[in-house]
Amino acid sequence: MKPLMRAIFPILYYTAGVILKLLYRVEVSGLENLPGGKVLLCPNHSSDIDPVLIGCCLPLPIVKRIHFMAKAELFQKPLSGWFLRQLGAFPVRRDTTDIQAVKTAMQVLRAEDNLMIFPEGTTIHDGIGYYDGLPAHAHPGAVMIGVRTGAALIPVFTGQEKKLFKKTRIIFGPPYQPVFSGRRGTSEEMQQCADEMLRMTYALGGQEVGGKPLCR
């Protein structure tokens, strides 16, 4: 977050938090699972408003030092791009392996700031990715970045439907601990851990990956 935004952010945070929590009837739980050090939040992604709603639920000391990846298209307009950068966002290109975005993410965490990444890489509607048209699945980047930087990986569940005056659940799970055969893990193990963490994320809300209920 840039110095200008950091100065006025508490006012925006509390004002937006009160309004949005009322409009979306946010019910938050699991904040006790957040550790004291740097965190890498890994929510499921069902709506463009997810980053804002999750941010409004976080304690101010964490959210003041949070950064998040956002699709590069949002930065194409000068005003919106400027505002997002003021909030600590940085672009990621979804049509390729964006090495610069990965480097930026790791720099953020190594500076002891916090980060939010949506491992699905796109919003999920009815179990299908809006951007790629594929069934909901995890990309391994978030796990790799967490492992390389030593950040705590926190699964976060956010309810699928975001409708005004309808309850929205946001649940912070306990830190996820990847287990590898070696010190750093192979690419296959990274993918397996990413899949497992996404399953845990949806399970916090009693759902399978993509949004189907665990119990019918």
Side-chain angles (χ1 to χ4, degrees):
M1 189 177 297
K2 302 295 184 181
L4 173 62
M5 186 60 68
R6 197 182 291 269
I8 65 173
F9 185 77
I11 298 173
L12 296 175
Y13 167 80
Y14 287 114
T15 302
V18 169
I19 294 172
L20 290 172
K21 287 178 181 178
L22 287 174
L23 289 177
Y24 291 95
R25 293 182 57 201
V26 175
E27 181 183 275
V28 60
S29 59
L31 288 174
E32 69 277 5
N33 290 317
L34 297 175
K38 59 191 176 186
V39 297
L40 172 47
L41 302 171
C42 300
N44 64 295
H45 200 7
S46 61
S47 168
D48 289 339
I49 201 172
D50 287 342
V52 180
L53 288 179
I54 294 169
C56 288
C57 296
L58 292 167
L60 183 59
I62 291 180
V63 78
K64 281 183 72 173
R65 299 184 65 86
I66 201 163
H67 302 253
F68 57 95
M69 282 187 181
K71 57 185 179 181
E73 295 88 339
L74 295 175
F75 293 82
Q76 291 176 352
K77 294 182 179 180
L79 183 58
S80 62
W82 175 85
F83 184 71
L84 286 169
R85 291 184 189 277
Q86 292 296 312
L87 288 174
F90 57 94
V92 57
R93 293 177 297 162
R94 298 180 294 177
D95 57 349
T96 184
T97 302
D98 194 336
I99 300 300
Q100 183 55 52
V102 172
K103 289 181 178 179
T104 302
M106 296 178 74
Q107 289 169 357
V108 163
L109 292 168
R110 285 170 176 160
E112 300 300 318
D113 278 355
N114 307 303
L115 181 64
M116 186 188 304
I117 296 179
F118 293 93
E120 291 163 307
T122 181
T123 52
I124 304 297
H125 302 290
D126 297 323
I128 302 297
Y130 178 79
Y131 175 75
D132 55 20
L134 299 174
H137 65 284
H139 297 277
V143 170
M144 183 273 291
I145 291 169
V147 170
R148 298 289 189 268
T149 60
L153 289 157
I154 306 295
V156 184
F157 174 81
T158 174
Q160 273 62 42
E161 291 188 347
K162 305 296 191 304
K163 294 184 178 180
L164 292 178
F165 307 113
K166 184 174 181 179
K167 184 173 73 173
T168 297
R169 291 187 300 159
I170 296 178
I171 306 171
F172 295 86
Y176 171 69
Q177 299 290 339
V179 178
F180 305 126
S181 57
R183 188 170 69 88
R184 289 201 161 195
T186 64
S187 57
E188 290 80 10
E189 288 175 323
M190 290 286 183
Q191 183 64 62
Q192 291 170 1
C193 288
D195 293 338
E196 180 182 3
M197 187 170 66
L198 188 62
R199 286 193 294 269
M200 291 175 56
T201 298
Y202 276 93
L204 290 170
Q207 296 181 355
E208 297 175 356
V209 171
K212 296 180 180 178
L214 289 173
C215 300
R216 296 179 176 82

